[in-house]
Amino acid sequence: MAGIYVHIPFCNAKCSYCDFYSVANHIFMPGYVDALEREWAARRGELGEDGVRTVYIGGGTPSVLPPEDIARIIGLFPCGDAEELTIEVNPEGVDAEKCAAWRAAGINRVSMGVQSLVDDELRRVGRRHSATEALKALEVLQASGLSNVSADLIYGLPGQTPESWEYSVDRLLQSGITHLSAYSLTFEPGTRLYSLRERGLVDEAEEELSAEMYELLCRKARAAGFEHYEISNFARPGFHSRHNSAYWNLTPYLGLGPGAHSLGADGLRRFSSPDLKRYITHPESLYEVDEESDEERFNDLILVSLRTAKGLDLSRVEPLYMKRLLEVARPFADCGKLKSEGSRLYIPEEHWLTSDSVIRELFI
């Protein structure tokens, strides 16, 4: 079963750390769903004969769209057998009326950008909500029947301490959420935060501090009954993100909208240029094929598999690459950074934070 990702590139304001394609100008919003419909009509064949298992409406901030547009987007797809329909929201965009409309449209999962429950930390990175508003939004979602809620946190924020991070983690784990995603703050070129760091106005968290926060997160989530199933993702039993899990096992998915990426049933990766103006006029032809070699496909498999608790299924590795893989993996296995179980090769949780150093060595 395949997935569909729909990129909504509109925001009310750009957060200082964000490098996703989005615009704060809504001038093209009225014609956006028309463009999505045209792109879907032109590209739906890329999914082959697979049914649609998941739909993920991300961004940007999809909750800035009128609820009737969200319903119209979902109505484009054959979602009758879909298991998971997710929309990304920000706390300031949540109210009871919208929640009812999202549920009526078929949404059964919400991913909310909380990032911190300390107001000073939120202000430093340009978030528009307060901690109180975030917790209230979670209550509104749950009261509306949208009880499958994922929340995002960021560690390594300017001015963040282990104590303030622990406070955010504890409050969020106690809030009734079913899923938690937590990411280390990155300073991406082109973002306002990157510029502030280059000018000496913001300091980047030391690696030791980030490691301390990550270890605290893992410990707290485990104690609260959350399963750590991917480097940055934790879930109560039965609430893993089906859509994101499909990315990590290379299930085909179609990405719609400017800046979206796809993996077709034909094994080809495609990407759409991040150009909203062109997308509105030529949505069906804005994408390009990313021609991958066999070696690049092998590297893709290594990268996505070893981010997860399940790890790499060795039966998916082409015989041509197996001997080299096992030879390169042996030193990491000897020191405990890689483990095997049956036909599965995986990185233990205690080494996930430094997993990039292992994965890079396994690449061809």
Side-chain angles (χ1 to χ4, degrees):
M1 298 286 279
I4 295 174
Y5 172 78
V6 182
H7 189 66
I8 308 299
F10 305 107
C11 286
N12 286 322
K14 191 85 169 175
C15 297
S16 64
Y17 55 82
C18 180
D19 71 330
F20 292 117
Y21 179 61
S22 63
V23 297
N25 188 331
H26 296 177
I27 188 171
F28 292 114
M29 189 183 292
Y32 191 70
V33 181
D34 291 336
L36 284 172
E37 184 170 12
R38 288 166 55 196
E39 187 184 13
W40 164 247
R43 300 185 61 194
R44 60 187 301 169
E46 293 173 24
L47 293 178
E49 300 300 318
D50 287 343
V52 175
R53 183 188 182 198
T54 63
V55 176
Y56 193 105
I57 304 176
T61 311
S63 52
V64 304
L65 281 184
E68 55 269 24
D69 281 353
I70 298 297
R72 187 178 160 203
I73 290 169
I74 293 172
L76 297 176
F77 313 125
C79 297
D81 296 323
E83 301 174 6
E84 184 182 272
L85 284 80
T86 303
I87 185 172
E88 287 184 351
V89 305
N90 280 336
E92 67 272 18
V94 173
D95 60 46
E97 185 177 351
K98 283 186 177 179
C99 290
W102 295 333
R103 281 196 69 197
I107 295 292
N108 59 17
R109 184 175 183 272
V110 174
S111 178
M112 190 167 81
V114 175
Q115 317 314 0
S116 171
L117 288 175
V118 177
D119 287 343
D120 285 345
E121 294 171 3
L122 292 169
R123 281 193 290 269
R124 291 187 191 111
V125 291
R127 298 294 291 178
R128 292 165 57 86
H129 66 271
S130 67
T132 298
E133 288 167 335
L135 293 170
K136 177 61 177 178
L138 290 173
E139 292 176 2
V140 171
L141 287 166
Q142 292 158 355
S144 75
L146 289 167
S147 56
N148 186 5
V149 178
S150 176
D152 289 356
L153 284 178
I154 297 177
Y155 56 95
L157 292 169
Q160 195 174 50
T161 65
E163 293 74 23
S164 69
W165 171 243
E166 183 174 14
Y167 173 81
S168 291
V169 170
D170 283 342
R171 290 290 303 274
L172 207 49
L173 289 173
Q174 295 163 8
S175 69
I177 60 172
T178 56
H179 189 281
L180 173 63
S181 298
Y183 306 98
S184 176
L185 181 68
T186 57
F187 290 73
E188 299 294 342
T191 64
R192 185 157 42 92
L193 194 63
Y194 180 88
S195 176
L196 291 171
R197 188 193 66 177
E198 294 303 290
R199 291 154 53 197
L201 299 177
V202 168
D203 292 325
E204 189 168 357
E206 298 289 339
E207 287 186 12
E208 294 80 3
L209 177 59
S210 291
E212 180 182 351
M213 291 180 177
Y214 185 75
E215 290 163 5
L216 182 149
L217 166 70
C218 295
R219 185 174 69 252
K220 291 280 186 175
R222 189 184 310 114
F226 282 67
E227 298 170 345
H228 194 181
Y229 70 104
E230 192 268 347
I231 288 177
S232 302
N233 287 274
F234 306 77
R236 296 191 184 279
F239 289 95
H240 295 198
S241 169
R242 290 170 170 79
H243 185 85
N244 289 340
S245 294
Y247 291 155
W248 302 321
N249 65 24
L250 298 179
T251 297
Y253 68 96
L254 177 61
L256 301 174
H261 290 247
S262 304
L263 175 62
D266 55 7
L268 294 178
R269 291 192 180 275
R270 297 171 175 85
F271 63 95
S272 295
S273 299
D275 187 332
L276 180 56
K277 185 176 181 179
R278 282 187 60 207
Y279 182 78
I280 292 295
T281 56
H282 298 91
E284 60 284 311
S285 60
L286 197 61
Y287 70 92
E288 301 175 36
V289 175
D290 185 5
E291 300 287 356
E292 286 189 301
S293 66
D294 290 341
E295 289 81 5
E296 287 170 327
R297 291 191 178 92
F298 169 82
N299 290 345
D300 282 347
L301 178 64
I302 296 295
L303 177 63
V304 297
S305 298
L306 290 180
R307 290 183 58 87
T308 69
K310 289 182 178 179
L312 172 65
D313 180 355
L314 291 173
S315 68
R316 300 186 68 179
V317 176
E318 295 289 339
L320 176 66
Y321 304 124
M322 183 63 79
K323 181 180 178 181
R324 179 194 175 278
L325 172 64
L326 296 179
E327 287 177 351
V328 176
R330 187 174 296 116
F332 294 108
D334 290 344
C335 68
K337 291 186 177 181
L338 274 174
K339 292 188 177 181
S340 61
E341 185 175 311
S343 64
R344 187 168 64 97
L345 188 69
Y346 66 96
I347 298 174
E349 181 192 49
E350 61 266 26
H351 295 294
W352 272 1
L353 196 59
T354 58
S355 61
D356 284 350
S357 62
V358 178
I359 291 171
R360 280 196 303 269
E361 293 299 317
L362 299 179
F363 282 167
I364 293 177

